[in-house]
Amino acid sequence: MPEATVRPERPGDEQQIAEVLAAAFRRSENPHSEPPEVRLVEKLRTSSAWIAPLSLVAVDAGATGIVGHVVCTRGTIDGFAVLALGPLGVAPSHQGRGIGSSLMQAVIVAAGLHGEAVICLLGDPGFYSRFGFVPATSLGIEPPEPAWGDYFQALVAPGTEVPQGRFSYPEPFSGLG
């Protein structure tokens, strides 16, 4: 059972979210460098792609603060509005406890309540397939980079006509390295 509750991001959460993302995405080859995901979320937050109700945090039940974060922003498939999920990060001290799964379930529900029917992401099929994500190409959705193959995935709400074409992330994703 997860040791955290999920809620929408609130004003004032920004620093804790940045700290969680920095810890979650820190690269061993450069441990003192800020991971690009930290700056990405900052840029997304100030862009027109930001959808505030779809930025969620996991708060530790022991009141130690935010231990996870996920966000969906506005992406497109050949001009058709869909969601771009990511990044999803959980503090290393809280990984393996179901917090990432809780964040995923919550953001999928929140997206549906927000009237969104298509979510696309780049990630491990072994993790995301348990939430219903399938390779996007199997639905006629082309990844921004063909080499992503089955790692580029989509989730489509039942009864939704799937838009066909190339997926585009919002501008702040360009140059993410």
Side-chain angles (χ1 to χ4, degrees):
M1 184 122 204
E3 301 172 1
T5 57
V6 177
R7 65 163 172 79
E9 175 182 336
R10 298 178 188 152
D13 287 343
E14 297 87 355
Q15 183 60 39
Q16 285 188 60
I17 291 169
E19 290 168 6
V20 165
L21 294 174
F25 290 100
R26 185 159 284 123
R27 283 133 176 102
S28 59
E29 69 274 4
N30 200 356
H32 301 293
S33 177
E34 180 182 83
E37 291 82 0
V38 175
R39 179 71 53 178
L40 172 62
V41 170
E42 291 171 358
K43 288 180 178 179
L44 286 168
R45 198 178 277 120
T46 60
S47 79
S48 61
W50 188 254
I51 305 168
L54 301 182
S55 178
L56 306 177
V57 297
V59 180
D60 183 272
T64 60
I66 294 172
V67 296
H69 176 255
V70 66
V71 63
C72 286
T73 53
R74 180 61 60 218
T76 60
I77 299 173
D78 284 348
F80 183 86
V82 297
L83 293 179
L85 189 144
L88 163 68
V90 176
S93 61
H94 285 72
Q95 290 176 2
R97 300 181 185 184
I99 293 170
S101 293
S102 292
L103 284 165
M104 281 301 300
Q105 291 165 348
V107 81
I108 290 167
V109 168
L113 293 172
H114 198 259
E116 302 290 344
V118 180
I119 304 172
C120 295
L121 62 80
L122 177 63
D124 178 11
F127 178 74
Y128 293 103
S129 64
R130 62 182 124 161
F131 305 103
F133 284 85
V134 298
T137 55
S138 71
L139 301 171
I141 302 169
E142 301 170 34
E145 297 290 333
W148 291 353
D150 288 351
Y151 286 86
F152 185 69
Q153 301 164 73
L155 175 68
V156 179
T160 300
E161 186 174 330
V162 180
Q164 309 284 296
R166 182 167 302 283
F167 176 84
S168 297
Y169 278 101
E171 189 281 326
F173 277 87
S174 65
L176 182 64

